[in-house]
Amino acid sequence: MAIKNVMVIGAGQMGEGIAQVCAQSGYNVFLNDMNEQALEKAMKNMEKRLTRAVEKERITESDKTDTLNRLHPSTKLTDAESCDLVIEAVVENMEVKTKVFSDLDKITPKHAILASNTSSLPITEIAAVTNRPEQVIGMHFMNPVPVMKLVEIIRGLQTSDETYQAIEEMTNKLSKVPVEVNDFPGFVANRVLMPMINEAIYTVYEGVSSVEDVDTVMKLGMNHPMGPLTLADFIGLDTCLYIMEVLYEGFGDSKYRPCPLLRKYVKAGWLGKKSGRGFYQYE
Ligand code: CAA
Ligand code: NAD
């Protein structure tokens, strides 16, 4: 099955990056969001990044124009009726995601693959609300999508080999590196990364060190490109908390309990860079 038309749902930081790399690789892309302002912001950000790529002579002016012509902002889920693949990147919440998948199952053509960019939620459970669980799969991009090379491809219990191969092939076409993982809480990336971030938050919560010093330890001591608290702000503290909750509930092990300070910040609306305040303050 040839994938030509793609819909990306959710024009947040992940959705806009996924839409951009798909359009740059020749796919025709609908970028869908229920929030028109999010769509406008995403379109502007993508244009800015493409202009910068032209300035840096990584792409030509006509590559930029062609890419922008392949990108279509959308507020109607029914635009998915012409799509061969949908990549969902809405908020990390099972109720919201299952509603989207159940609607997509009714709207999209029978052959369409339904993928989720979920960071941690079970693909098998998302697939169960559709009548095509063999065509449901996890396609987990890393943030920032245009820069990071990895895509975790997650097989749900019923994902078919044909679906897996189509998504692996597309990942290669996007110049990303696919890694196959099975459907367990947090998959691989966040099962390893998020407890480290949560532990970094505990070191601040328990007064072991300051936010800046914890980040310095990990940046200079471990050569991480960003300290864990800067990274948490970058990912989104709401997303970090959702992922910790999935690990905690999924494994039933107290080592995954989310730090109370993380809960407090999310309750206050301090969601990190995207809301202007998290462990650090942004303009
Ligand atoms: N979107 C698109 N491009 C971006 C970007 C963004 N948000 N942030 C930086 N870039 C680009 C810059 O434009 C720059 O490109 P040019 O070469 O064209 O200038 C390039 O990345 C390097 O940026 P900078 O020089 O400004 O900064 P840097 O060298 O510190 O790199 C970084 C920035 C790539 C983000 C780096 O700090 C890094 O790798 N951080 C860690 C990222 C990480 O761990 N990601 C995984 C998060 S976990 C996840 O994604 C899974 C999940 O489910 C939560
Ligand atoms: P975000 O908060 O930046 O964006 C989410 C977008 O989805 C918002 O624009 C919102 O308006 C939109 N939305 C919500 N419900 C919708 C619906 N029903 N229909 C259409 N649009 C809807 O979130 P994000 O950081 O881009 O994360 C999106 C997904 O990607 C989550 O599942 C997250 O776990 C996953 N993810 C995030 C990261 C990260 O570093 N932030 C990395 C990998 C995967």
Side-chain angles (χ1 to χ4, degrees):
M1 195 263 302
I3 296 173
K4 286 192 184 134
N5 296 325
V6 177
M7 175 178 272
V8 177
I9 306 183
Q13 52 180 343
M14 292 307 288
E16 81 173 44
I18 297 168
Q20 182 190 326
V21 297
C22 289
Q24 278 188 283
S25 302
Y27 297 95
N28 192 38
V29 182
F30 287 105
L31 177 58
N32 175 279
D33 205 294
M34 51 190 195
N35 178 342
E36 284 198 37
Q37 279 172 336
L39 275 174
E40 270 170 38
K41 189 172 156 209
M43 295 302 291
K44 270 197 201 131
N45 286 344
M46 286 187 283
E47 184 164 5
K48 241 194 258 167
R49 281 203 297 271
L50 291 167
T51 302
R52 189 172 157 80
V54 173
E55 281 162 12
K56 292 209 146 194
E57 297 184 349
R58 290 200 185 119
I59 60 170
T60 63
E61 189 64 43
S62 85
D63 291 335
K64 175 188 154 187
T65 311
D66 291 348
T67 299
L68 288 173
N69 286 339
R70 282 191 288 267
L71 279 164
H72 314 284
S74 148
T75 49
K76 295 184 305 220
L77 205 59
T78 47
D79 286 330
E81 66 194 8
S82 62
C83 290
D84 309 302
L85 167 69
V86 179
I87 306 172
E88 167 277 315
V90 305
V91 61
E92 187 74 348
N93 175 297
M94 186 53 105
E95 233 172 89
V96 179
K97 288 199 194 285
T98 47
K99 168 81 172 79
V100 170
F101 273 76
S102 152
D103 290 346
L104 285 173
D105 194 35
K106 294 179 196 107
I107 294 167
T108 52
K110 275 209 174 87
H111 71 270
I113 293 176
L114 308 181
S116 176
N117 180 54
T118 176
S119 295
S120 59
L121 293 166
I123 299 301
T124 305
E125 195 176 331
I126 295 173
V129 303
T130 73
N131 290 310
R132 59 180 100 182
E134 64 291 345
Q135 286 161 237
V136 176
I137 193 160
M139 195 176 187
H140 184 208
F141 291 82
M142 301 294 127
N143 188 12
V145 180
V147 180
M148 306 299 279
K149 297 297 276 181
L150 178 74
V151 177
E152 272 190 312
I153 305 183
I154 302 112
R155 278 183 186 267
L157 194 60
Q158 299 181 73
T159 307
S160 70
D161 288 344
E162 203 186 348
T163 300
Y164 181 83
Q165 275 147 20
I167 295 303
E168 186 184 50
E169 201 176 296
M170 175 164 176
T171 302
N172 286 322
K173 247 187 107 178
L174 300 177
S175 303
K176 305 281 184 204
V177 178
V179 169
E180 180 179 351
V181 306
N182 282 322
D183 192 16
F184 282 93
F187 317 127
V188 173
N190 283 313
R191 185 167 173 180
V192 177
L193 174 71
M194 214 41 80
M196 183 200 67
I197 288 180
N198 194 47
E199 208 55 36
I201 302 172
Y202 264 110
T203 59
V204 172
Y205 175 64
E206 291 169 0
V208 181
S209 201
S210 68
V211 168
E212 290 79 6
D213 285 348
V214 170
D215 274 353
T216 302
V217 166
M218 297 308 284
K219 265 173 69 182
L220 302 188
M222 320 298 155
N223 249 1
H224 288 192
M226 279 174 167
L229 301 167
T230 304
L231 183 56
D233 274 0
F234 179 61
I235 290 167
L237 300 188
D238 52 341
T239 302
C240 293
L241 180 57
Y242 284 131
I243 296 169
M244 284 312 298
E245 300 277 25
V246 168
L247 291 172
Y248 189 36
E249 197 193 309
F251 291 116
D253 189 326
S254 64
K255 75 178 176 185
Y256 297 112
R257 77 266 175 258
C259 180
L261 190 61
L262 176 61
R263 285 191 196 285
K264 195 180 215 174
Y265 279 18
V266 172
K267 283 210 175 107
W270 293 8
L271 306 184
K273 209 170 172 198
K274 65 182 167 189
S275 75
R277 176 131 201 202
F279 290 100
Y280 295 90
Q281 207 153 354
Y282 305 86
E283 303 155 332

